[in-house]
C-alpha cells in the first residue's frame, strides 16, 4: 500500500514536472481560473510542512509536488473571523479594527464598500462561487450575498453528530463544541464530504467561456473532530502521536500571555490529561486532517478530469493553527508558532513546481498574489505583498517578516530566523526558531540579543487600530494607565489565579 502510493505520488509529480517544466507562463491567452480552498483550524500538521511526523496527507503532498509550499507562512490573527477578514480584504487586523469573532465588516461604514478578493475578480470578468466556511459568519440575506459572490453553495457544517457527547469531562466542566472522537456514521453524510461534492459538480459544469473563482471552505479539523473508524485507524494508538511538551515551559513567559486566552471553552492540557483524552484528541484531529485531505483530493481529481488543471491556480490555506498541549493549553488564541503557522500552498500556471519557500509569508498576501497571477489590475490599497517573486524563484528574498496580532497591542513578528512577541503591557518574548523550534527558551531578557530585539521591534505595526464598535467574543483590552486588563468584560488583576492550571 505504502509502495503503491509512493509510486502514484512519484508519477504524478513527474507528469506535472514535464507539463510545467519548472514554471511556465499560462499556455492559453485566457485568464486562469482560481480554486481557493480553506481549511479551518489546520495547523502545520500536514505533510508538506512536516509539522507532525506521522500525519498522512497524500493529496496535499501531491499538490505540493506540482506547486510551491510556503513553509514559513502565518495568519494575521490566531482566530477565524479576524484572520479571514484580513485575508479577504488584504488588510491587517490592526487596520480593520476587527480582532474578535464579530462584527461582520460590512456593518462598518469604513469597510462596507471595500472591494474584497472575490469582488476584485468579479469586477474583472470572473464568475465567483463559494461554499462552506470562507468568511466566518457570512450574510444570510440573498441581496447581501449577491454582492459578495455570484453563486452560493451549501454552507454545510459539521454534519452528523453523535446522539450523546463522546468525551467524559469532570463534574462542573462543559466543553461545549470542544468534542472529538470516533463514532459510527457515513463519511458521505459529513458536511465536508457534501461540500467537496458540490465543488466537484461546479467544476464538472463550469461554463467554458468565463473564468471562475471557486472558493471552498472546509470545516474540519475545527472541533468537533468527529470521525469514522477508517480515518482514526490511520494513526497508532500510542504516545508517539503526542507533540513535545515541556512542563515548566511557561515559567519564562510573561503573565500577560495568559490574558490572551484567559478563559475559553478550549480545555487546558491539565484537564485533557486528567480526563485521559490527550491521545484521543490528537488522534481525532489527525484523522480529521486526513479526511479533509481526501476531500481536497476528490476536488483536485475533478479539476484534472475536467481538463482544467493546467489553467487553474490552486491555493490551499489554513486560517489559524492549534495547540495540543504545547505551553499547557489546547486551542488557538496565542502568538506562538503553534497558533500562527499555517499551510499555504500554490499550484498552477505561473507557479514553480515542487518548490519550498522558507521566506516569511502572510495570508493577506494571497489577494495581491492571485490578482497578479491572473493578470488583474494591481491595487494600491492592499497591505499584502504579492508572493509571485517566490512563486517564480523560490530563493527570492523577502525582507518583510510575517505579523500576527491578537487584540489591540499584542503582536508577533516572525522573521526567517526569529519570533518576537510584544504584549500590550510591554512584556516581550524572543525565540530562536533555528535552534529552538518548540519555542521553549525565551531570550527576550538576555542582553546579547538586544540587537535582534531592536531589529524586530521596528516591524511592529505602525497602525494599531482601536477595536471597532460591537467587537465581541475573544476580546481582551488593556489600560496601561491602570495596568488593568479586561477579558470578555471581566477584569483581570495581577494577582488573580490563572484559571485551569
Ligand atoms: Ca479557524
Ligand atoms: Ca519556556
Amino acid at each position: 500500500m505504502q509502495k503503491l502510493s509512493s509510486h502514484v505520488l512519484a508519477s504524478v509529480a513527474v507528469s506535472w514536472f514535464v507539463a510545467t517544466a519548472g514554471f511556465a507562463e499560462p499556455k492559453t491567452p485566457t485568464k486562469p481560473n482560481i480554486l481557493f480552498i480553506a481549511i479551518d483550524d489546520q495547523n502545520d500538521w500536514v505533510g508538506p510542512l512536516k509539522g507532525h511526523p506521522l500525519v498522512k496527507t497524500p493529496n496535499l503532498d501531491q499538490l505540493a509536488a506540482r506547486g510551491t509550499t510556503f513553509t514559513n507562512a502565518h495568519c494575521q490573527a490566531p482566530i477565524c473571523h479576524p484572520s479571514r477578514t484580513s485575508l479577504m480584504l488584504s488588510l491587517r487586523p490592526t487596520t480593520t479594527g476587527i480582532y474578535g469573532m464579530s462584527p461582520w465588516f460590512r456593518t462598518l461604514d469604513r469597510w462596507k464598500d471595500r472591494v474584497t478578493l472575490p469582488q476584485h475578480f468579479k469586477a474583472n470578468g470572473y464568475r465567483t462561487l463559494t461554499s462552506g466556511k470562507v468568511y466566518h459568519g457570512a450574510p444570510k440575506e440573498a441581496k447581501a450575498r449577491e454582492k459578495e459572490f455570484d453563486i452560493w453553495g451549501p454552507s454545510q457544517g459539521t454534519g452528523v453528530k453523535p446522539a450523546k457527547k463522546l468525551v467524559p469531562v469532570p463534574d462542573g466542566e462543559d466543553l461545549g463544541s470542544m468534542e472529538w472522537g470516533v463514532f459510527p456514521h457515513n463519511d458521505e453524510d459529513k458536511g465536508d464530504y457534501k461540500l467537496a461534492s458540490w465543488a466537484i459538480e461546479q467544476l464538472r459544469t463550469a461554463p467554458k467561456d468565463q473564468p471562475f473563482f471557486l472558493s471552498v471552505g472546509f470545516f474540519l479539523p475545527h472541533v468537533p473532530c468527529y470521525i469514522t473508524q477508517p480515518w482514526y485507524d490511520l494513526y497508532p494508538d500510542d504516545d508517539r502521536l503526542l507533540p513535545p511538551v515541556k512542563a515548566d515551559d511557561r515559567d519564562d513567559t510573561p503573565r500577560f500571555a495568559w490574558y490572551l486566552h484567559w478563559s475559553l471553552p478550549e480545555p487546558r492540557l491539565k484537564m485533557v490529561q486528567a480526563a485521559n483524552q490527550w491521545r484521543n484528541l490528537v488522534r481525532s484531529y489527525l484523522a480529521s486532517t486526513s479526511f479533509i485531505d481526501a476531500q481536497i483530493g476528490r476536488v483536485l481529481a475533478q479539476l484534472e478530469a475536467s481538463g482544467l488543471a493546467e489553467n487553474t491556480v490552486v491555493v490551499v490555506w489554513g486560517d489559524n493553527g492549534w495547540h495540543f498541549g504545547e505551553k499547557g493549553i489546547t486551542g488557538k488564541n496565542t502568538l506562538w508558532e503553534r497558533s500562527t503557522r499555517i499551510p499555504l500552498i500554490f499550484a498552477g500556471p505561473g507557479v514553480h513546481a515542487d518548490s519550498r519557500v522558507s521566506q516569511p509569508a502572510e495570508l493577506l498576501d494571497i489577494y495581491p498574489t492571485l490578482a497578479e497571477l491572473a493578470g488583474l489590475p494591481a491595487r494600491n490599497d492592499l497591505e499584502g505583498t504579492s508572493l509571485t517573486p517566490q512563486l517564480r524563484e523560490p530563493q527570492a528574498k523577502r525582507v518583510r517578516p510575517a505579523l500576527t496580532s491578537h487584540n489591540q497591542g499584542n503582536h508577533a513578528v516572525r522573521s526567517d530566523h526569529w519570533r518576537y512577541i510584544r504584549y500590550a503591557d510591554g512584556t516581550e518574548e524572543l525565540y530562536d526558531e533555528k535552534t529552538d523550534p518548540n519555542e521553549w527558551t525565551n531570550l527576550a531578557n538576555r542582553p546579547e540579543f538586544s540587537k535582534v530585539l531592536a531589529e524586530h521591534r521596528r516591524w511592529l505595526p505602525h497602525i494599531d487600530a482601536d477595536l471597532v464598535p460591537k467587537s465581541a467574543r475573544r476580546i481582551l483590552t488593556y489600560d496601561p494607565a491602570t495596568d488593568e486588563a479586561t477579558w470578555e468584560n471581566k477584569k483581570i488583576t495581577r494577582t488573580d489565579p490563572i484559571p485551569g492550571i
Side-chain angles (χ1 to χ4, degrees):
M1 181 69 186
Q2 196 65 40
K3 268 200 171 146
L4 180 65
S5 54
S6 337
H7 174 73
V8 170
L9 186 68
S11 63
V12 168
V14 166
S15 69
W16 266 96
F17 183 75
V18 171
T20 57
F23 83 92
E25 294 301 322
K27 283 179 183 163
T28 52
T30 55
K31 286 191 162 74
N33 303 302
I34 306 292
L35 177 55
F36 178 87
I37 299 176
I39 318 177
D40 202 359
D41 282 12
Q42 178 63 64
N43 66 13
D44 60 3
W45 290 2
V46 293
L49 290 182
K50 307 184 196 309
H52 192 292
L54 299 179
V55 73
K56 291 179 180 156
T57 55
N59 295 286
L60 288 176
D61 295 348
Q62 279 190 22
L63 183 71
R66 72 172 182 88
T68 295
T69 301
F70 286 84
T71 61
N72 192 13
H74 300 272
C75 59
Q76 273 53 80
I79 48 173
C80 309
H81 183 57
S83 172
R84 289 163 186 254
T85 304
S86 167
L87 187 158
M88 300 298 274
L89 275 57
S90 195
L91 294 173
R92 298 186 185 284
T94 44
T95 299
T96 64
I98 295 172
Y99 300 93
M101 301 302 265
S102 57
W104 169 239
F105 66 93
R106 294 293 187 208
T107 63
L108 302 160
D109 276 350
R110 193 165 174 209
W111 309 125
K112 70 177 175 14
D113 297 320
R114 174 81 189 182
V115 178
T116 63
L117 167 62
Q119 286 178 329
H120 188 46
F121 274 82
K122 182 180 167 68
N124 286 279
Y126 277 70
R127 183 170 183 258
T128 61
L129 307 91
T130 192
S131 60
K133 182 173 169 179
V134 173
Y135 287 109
H136 177 93
K140 300 268 186 289
E141 314 76 42
K143 270 212 161 328
R145 286 186 163 211
E146 278 167 21
K147 282 188 192 163
E148 307 299 337
F149 291 96
D150 296 327
I151 314 277
W152 285 73
S155 61
Q156 297 301 345
T158 307
V160 196
K161 291 181 181 174
K164 58 178 190 181
K165 294 274 176 131
L166 300 179
V167 177
V169 292
D171 283 348
E173 299 273 3
D174 180 9
L175 289 181
S177 65
M178 295 294 137
E179 265 264 298
W180 51 84
V182 69
F183 79 99
H185 59 290
N186 295 320
D187 283 340
E188 291 75 11
D189 294 333
K190 296 178 82 68
D192 289 318
Y193 187 96
K194 293 181 188 172
L195 209 53
S197 300
W198 180 86
I200 288 166
E201 190 57 20
Q202 306 316 305
L203 292 171
R204 211 178 54 74
T205 58
K208 298 270 182 282
D209 57 350
Q210 191 182 14
F212 62 77
F213 181 104
L214 171 58
S215 55
V216 188
F218 291 108
F219 287 86
L220 284 171
H222 192 295
V223 288
C225 293
Y226 295 135
I227 199 71
T228 57
Q229 198 71 44
W231 302 101
Y232 199 71
D233 289 345
L234 287 174
Y235 297 95
D237 186 17
D238 71 48
D239 285 348
R240 283 183 298 148
L241 291 181
L242 304 179
V245 165
K246 191 169 179 282
D248 62 354
D249 194 7
R250 294 191 76 155
D251 289 0
D252 62 352
T253 61
R255 175 178 163 86
F256 204 92
W258 285 106
Y259 293 6
L260 269 57
H261 44 263
W262 187 250
S263 173
L264 284 168
E266 290 92 323
R268 309 288 199 211
L269 176 61
K270 189 178 165 188
M271 179 188 158
V272 174
Q273 284 176 313
N276 195 25
Q277 285 291 315
W278 194 9
R279 195 191 298 166
N280 187 23
L281 166 61
V282 169
R283 198 174 172 193
S284 301
Y285 182 87
L286 288 166
S288 300
T289 292
S290 291
F291 174 75
I292 291 303
D293 175 78
Q295 304 320 305
I296 292 173
R298 291 176 60 215
V299 175
L300 294 178
Q302 184 62 47
L303 193 71
E304 295 240 20
S306 298
L308 295 165
E310 256 192 87
N311 197 38
T312 299
V313 174
V314 181
V315 57
V316 174
W317 54 275
D319 67 341
N320 55 258
W322 237 76
H323 286 245
F324 285 92
E326 302 93 337
K327 292 200 161 44
I329 59 165
T330 69
K332 39 212 179 184
N333 290 275
T334 81
L335 293 172
W336 295 303
E337 192 85 346
R338 176 53 67 239
S339 256
T340 74
R341 187 175 186 228
I342 41 80
L344 179 59
I345 306 169
F346 290 85
V351 179
H352 206 289
D354 202 13
S355 284
R356 296 168 66 76
V357 174
S358 62
Q359 299 288 305
E362 304 186 277
L363 285 178
L364 53 66
D365 297 332
I366 292 176
Y367 189 152
T369 305
L370 292 179
E372 190 176 346
L373 286 172
L376 270 47
R379 299 180 62 92
N380 61 7
D381 59 352
L382 308 180
E383 291 184 322
T385 305
S386 175
L387 297 164
T388 50
Q390 286 74 31
L391 293 177
R392 285 193 292 264
E393 171 45 60
Q395 303 304 324
K397 282 282 175 224
R398 194 173 156 90
V399 174
R400 191 170 81 177
L403 305 184
T404 306
S405 300
H406 192 30
N407 282 300
Q408 192 180 31
N410 309 292
H411 312 291
V413 178
R414 177 63 161 89
S415 61
D416 184 35
H417 193 132
W418 307 91
R419 171 175 297 270
Y420 166 70
I421 299 173
R422 186 188 189 279
Y423 297 101
D425 69 345
T427 50
E428 298 176 305
E429 293 171 51
L430 179 71
Y431 298 100
D432 184 334
E433 301 291 339
K434 304 280 186 202
T435 62
D436 180 23
N438 294 312
E439 300 179 335
W440 281 344
T441 306
N442 177 14
L443 305 169
N445 297 320
R446 301 196 188 172
E448 62 267 39
F449 295 103
S450 59
K451 202 171 155 216
V452 176
L453 284 168
E455 279 166 7
H456 285 74
R457 283 186 196 119
R458 73 189 178 93
W459 289 104
L460 289 169
H462 298 296
I463 309 167
D464 200 0
D466 287 337
L467 277 72
V468 295
K470 299 193 176 163
S471 288
R473 294 188 288 151
R474 313 298 187 263
I475 294 301
L476 171 73
T477 55
Y478 176 71
D479 182 354
T482 58
D483 190 35
E484 208 166 60
T486 306
W487 168 261
E488 306 281 45
N489 299 318
K490 286 173 89 173
K491 297 229 178 306
I492 310 173
T493 72
R494 285 281 166 192
T495 51
D496 286 343
I498 294 161
I501 62 162

